Amino acid sequence: MNIPKSIVRIFLILPNGQIVAQLRDNIPGIASQGMLSTFGGGVDLGESPNQAAVRELEEETCLETNYEMEFITTFIHQKTRNNQAVLQDNHLFLARIINIEAIEIKEGVGFVVLRKDVDFEKVNAGEGSQMAWKLLQDYLNG
């Protein structure tokens, strides 16, 4: 499996300020197996990061219109798989949702609701997700 050069990462935020993260599948070959992560995935050829974020959110959560998408930032993260290293553009988004009941998980085993002040380094999450969490906290504490 190739490492995409550009991905989108999406955290969801509830009206009460709690953050929703994805609990990844434990399938061999996927990134961050069994860990907490962002929703998202690769940016397809000819697709903007914003278009990819909307597509990925719908694919993974079935959310179509019940949210407001905000772009936070882009950061570079080095990914290595099978001795292949790639500098990957990570486009970070925040989706403000009104109704958690509207989420229907289609990828991963579920989701986790977290306080926005949780120390993400102390949870089982990959390095890229931890970087994204820190940037999210900076954005929210603006």
Side-chain angles (χ1 to χ4, degrees):
M1 176 182 290
N2 290 335
I3 299 172
K5 293 190 175 168
S6 183
I7 67 168
V8 293
R9 293 179 171 275
I10 309 146
F11 283 111
L12 310 181
I13 189 167
L14 302 173
N16 65 6
Q18 291 179 311
I19 306 298
V20 180
Q22 182 188 49
L23 183 55
R24 301 280 293 165
D25 288 308
N26 200 10
I27 299 171
I30 66 167
S32 304
Q33 297 172 26
M35 295 182 173
L36 284 185
S37 185
T38 57
F39 295 95
V43 177
D44 292 341
L45 188 62
E47 189 176 47
S48 72
N50 192 65
Q51 290 168 325
V54 169
R55 175 183 52 77
E56 287 287 348
L57 192 59
E58 183 177 342
E59 287 175 2
E60 296 184 9
T61 68
C62 294
L63 291 174
E64 295 179 9
T65 58
N66 298 338
Y67 64 88
E68 291 180 25
M69 185 77 73
E70 298 173 26
F71 171 72
I72 297 176
T73 192
T74 297
F75 65 96
I76 307 297
H77 176 56
Q78 182 172 320
K79 292 284 290 186
T80 304
R81 186 179 298 154
N82 300 330
N83 295 324
Q84 176 191 10
V86 172
L87 290 178
Q88 186 179 68
D89 291 333
N90 286 243
H91 308 283
L92 182 59
F93 290 85
L94 178 66
R96 294 183 183 274
I97 65 171
I98 297 168
N99 182 6
I100 195 168
E101 300 298 322
I103 299 172
E104 183 181 341
I105 296 297
K106 293 292 185 178
E107 289 187 24
V109 296
F111 62 86
V112 176
V113 178
L114 303 163
R115 293 186 330 264
K116 68 179 181 181
D117 63 342
V118 166
D119 184 351
F120 218 65
E121 290 181 354
K122 294 183 179 174
V123 299
N124 186 21
E127 184 180 342
S129 294
Q130 289 179 2
M131 292 170 67
W133 181 263
K134 287 178 186 174
L135 292 166
L136 173 66
Q137 287 181 323
D138 290 347
Y139 178 78
L140 293 174
N141 293 328

